[in-house]
Amino acid sequence: MSLPPGPTAPAPWMLMRWMRDPVAVLKECRARYGETFTLDIGAMPPLVILSNPEHVREVFASAGDDMHGGEIASGLRPFLGERSVIVLDGAPHRAMRKLVMPPFHGERMHAYGRAMVDLTHASIDRWVVGKEFPVHEALQAITLDVILRTVFGMDDAADRARLGEQLTRLTHLASWPPLLLPQMQRDLGAWSPWGKFLRESRAADANLLGEIARRRREGSAGRTDILSMFLGVRDEEGRGLDDQDLRDQLVTLLVAGHETTATALAWTLRWVLALPDVRERLMNELHTAQRGGPLTPERIAKLEYLDATVREALRLQPVIPLVGRITQQPLRFAGYDLPKGVALAPSVHLVHLNPAVYENPERFDPSRFVGRSYKAHEWIPFGGGIRKCIGMAFALYEMKMVLATVLSRAWLRTAPGYTPRAVRRSITLTPSEGMPVVVDAVLPRSPDTAAAAA
Ligand code: HEM
């Protein structure tokens, strides 16, 4: 048995560095040890970091029995629940994924586009001209509202605000990175970090289960939200999802879907605001589209340069640094005889910075995505294979809706003197200080969007 080479510094030191700046650690190791190396950060099984696209392809081609993706996410169990699709493996994972996937089909996204656009308008209406504010927070509020409306099916703004506030408090508590470590997950009373989290979590669960019960009573006729679809799904034996299944999937979709999308949007804006050529090309595309009629979700979804811009942002600044699968038996892989119990971990950053695939990879250039797509193991911000992000179509669609709406109404600039750094929030890498921007102008909603929202 052998592991690829890697840093020999003590695991606690590597863990600290990893928690603080995973991208720097990955780049450093890539330069020193080559495209495949081992990182031992102690809190997890040794990570065999992969960046050769062929190795990544091999991981994504696995049917999941020889390598488990749920096991590596087991630290999320206390947050998401034992039945969350993210933490399951093997047959239970396949079965849950089959039940949860259908509402996320690309074509269904048009049903959610109107809500994505309307909720973005509602946020912009509150922006104050001349004022500096952390745009990441505004984007988080939008993406949370979008999930509560389109996934949970909460139509009432006051109800969404109440549950949203509670869930934000909860995700805020949960996003403190050390809380992912099992040794930190001990209830030492209401003031300890874990104790506080547990108490908030129980209160939120009571509300979520109340909401599920109400929706079961009221029925789903005529509704398009994802919870309504879940209430109607049945497996081959005619079994549906029980309350605990539903609770765990709702929390999973909320946690997996809102912070990630808001962060991806913040990074996209960071480049758009910094690069006048990119912004101008986007504005031209939007103006040309507007001349042809109102900017409906269907029309926004087809804008080619907008699509390329969000894909390029996800390439250059991926939100999640690694995906992982734990080997279930000894395995010959990438020229090594790996033991059981190590994590094969495609590095999203390193794959995206491969100069053999992306010319001038450190440069932000959306045109590399115009008229061409990359292979499933070359562009991997959403992972791949049987564990590929369920919300990929949803997230890309939402990013385009939000970005087009913001750019068509608000003139923003990066706050003077601000240079973003990637900081860690739980498993995501977000721009530091919430990415402060200044609002220089806000246009009123155009009559067609105001009418559609009414
Ligand atoms: C830009 C936004 C997003 C990014 C970058 C992202 C990224 C990812 C990544 C890297 C994975 C792991 C894939 C793997 O292991 O191969 C994942 C899994 C997942 N994501 Fe996303 N995601 C985003 C948005 C969303 C949204 C909007 C939802 C749902 C509303 C969602 C739901 C999920 C679920 C349920 C899984 C687990 C799939 C499984 O284990 O079978 N994600 N996502």
Side-chain angles (χ1 to χ4, degrees):
M1 293 291 138
S2 63
L3 289 174
T8 49
W13 169 250
M14 288 315 294
L15 175 64
M16 201 185 73
R17 291 206 55 210
W18 176 252
M19 286 285 178
R20 217 180 256 172
D21 195 350
V23 180
V25 174
L26 289 168
K27 284 185 176 172
E28 236 174 75
C29 293
R30 166 77 181 84
R32 178 134 186 229
Y33 304 103
E35 62 182 19
T36 308
F37 52 90
T38 304
L39 257 187
D40 189 358
I41 55 173
M44 290 177 148
L47 297 165
V48 176
I49 307 286
L50 309 172
S51 59
N52 178 318
E54 275 314 302
H55 298 155
V56 176
R57 195 186 55 69
E58 219 176 302
V59 170
F60 289 169
S62 157
D65 295 316
D66 54 345
M67 38 183 100
H68 281 177
E71 197 177 326
I72 198 155
S74 60
L76 297 173
R77 272 169 195 265
F79 303 100
L80 306 181
E82 297 288 321
R83 302 194 206 164
S84 159
V85 66
I86 289 188
V87 305
L88 297 175
D89 277 305
H93 173 252
R94 284 192 284 276
M96 186 58 83
R97 208 172 144 99
K98 215 159 151 194
L99 292 174
V100 174
M101 276 291 278
F104 289 96
H105 188 266
E107 278 308 302
R108 288 197 50 83
M109 293 309 123
H110 298 314
Y112 309 129
R114 188 76 261 162
M116 293 166 177
V117 168
D118 288 349
L119 295 169
T120 309
H121 277 301
S123 175
I124 298 171
D125 289 342
R126 295 190 291 270
W127 295 0
V128 180
V129 173
K131 201 171 156 198
E132 182 177 312
F133 75 107
V135 74
H136 185 223
E137 278 173 26
L139 295 166
Q140 275 176 305
I142 295 172
T143 58
L144 178 64
D145 230 9
V146 165
I147 298 249
L148 293 175
R149 179 124 147 220
T150 61
V151 176
F152 290 40
M154 298 179 74
D155 298 325
D156 184 85
D159 285 348
R160 282 202 307 276
R162 244 190 320 276
L163 186 60
E165 218 173 273
Q166 187 174 40
L167 294 169
T168 307
R169 264 201 318 273
L170 192 62
T171 42
H172 187 74
L173 288 172
S175 67
W176 187 50
L179 223 49
L180 285 175
L181 305 173
Q183 55 271 40
M184 289 300 292
Q185 297 176 353
R186 268 193 272 151
D187 185 0
L188 302 174
W191 296 103
S192 64
W194 188 246
K196 218 187 267 178
F197 168 79
L198 280 184
R199 282 155 186 80
E200 282 282 351
S201 172
R202 279 184 209 124
D205 276 358
N207 283 336
L208 280 177
L209 291 169
E211 186 62 24
I212 292 168
R214 184 175 71 80
R215 297 291 296 286
R216 281 199 196 277
R217 274 197 312 277
E218 289 176 4
S220 301
R223 302 190 60 102
T224 55
D225 59 85
I226 288 171
L227 173 55
S228 293
M229 309 285 128
F230 285 171
L231 289 170
V233 295
R234 296 289 175 268
D235 64 14
E236 282 97 34
E237 275 106 53
R239 272 191 312 258
L241 295 167
D242 69 18
D243 285 357
Q244 195 59 41
D245 290 329
L246 286 169
R247 178 267 171 214
D248 289 359
Q249 308 326 308
L250 288 180
V251 173
T252 297
L253 296 177
L254 181 108
V255 171
H258 112 270
E259 169 95 18
T260 45
T261 312
T263 300
L265 271 164
W267 284 119
T268 314
L269 263 183
R270 173 242 193 279
W271 297 110
V272 172
L273 300 188
L275 300 170
D277 290 356
V278 172
R279 184 175 185 148
E280 197 181 319
R281 207 163 151 190
L282 278 172
M283 296 308 289
N284 285 342
E285 188 177 55
L286 282 171
H287 289 147
T288 309
Q290 271 165 328
R291 278 200 290 277
L295 267 185
T296 58
E298 287 81 355
R299 295 183 65 234
I300 296 173
K302 289 199 188 108
L303 299 177
E304 199 182 34
Y305 194 71
L306 179 69
D307 184 72
T309 304
V310 303
R311 285 174 194 270
E312 174 68 342
L314 285 162
R315 179 192 72 81
L316 192 52
Q317 185 59 67
V319 173
I320 296 180
L322 294 178
V323 295
R325 312 282 186 262
I326 296 188
T327 55
Q328 298 302 300
Q329 70 239 354
L331 196 68
R332 175 99 191 137
F333 195 95
Y336 295 91
D337 286 314
L338 302 178
K340 175 180 178 216
V342 298
L344 290 171
S347 157
V348 185
H349 285 84
L350 296 181
V351 168
H352 288 177
L353 291 177
N354 183 346
V357 178
Y358 299 101
E359 201 188 320
N360 213 343
E362 298 275 0
R363 185 160 161 235
F364 186 86
D365 179 11
S367 59
R368 67 172 95 241
F369 282 92
V370 175
R372 83 155 283 187
S373 53
Y374 292 84
K375 298 204 179 87
H377 51 277
E378 293 173 340
W379 186 72
I380 62 164
F382 297 98
I386 58 150
R387 312 249 16 157
K388 185 175 190 164
C389 175
I390 285 173
M392 171 173 155
F394 189 99
L396 290 172
Y397 202 89
E398 183 174 6
M399 286 178 73
K400 292 192 272 185
M401 296 303 125
V402 175
L403 200 61
T405 309
V406 167
L407 292 177
S408 62
R409 274 192 68 200
W411 194 260
L412 304 176
R413 80 187 133 87
T414 309
Y418 173 71
T419 314
R421 274 179 309 108
V423 294
R424 206 182 161 95
R425 265 176 68 97
S426 189
I427 53 167
T428 61
L429 293 175
T430 66
S432 50
E433 297 163 58
M435 208 178 105
V437 298
V438 181
V439 192
D440 282 331
V442 176
L443 295 175
R445 296 189 198 199
S446 64
D448 44 60
T449 53

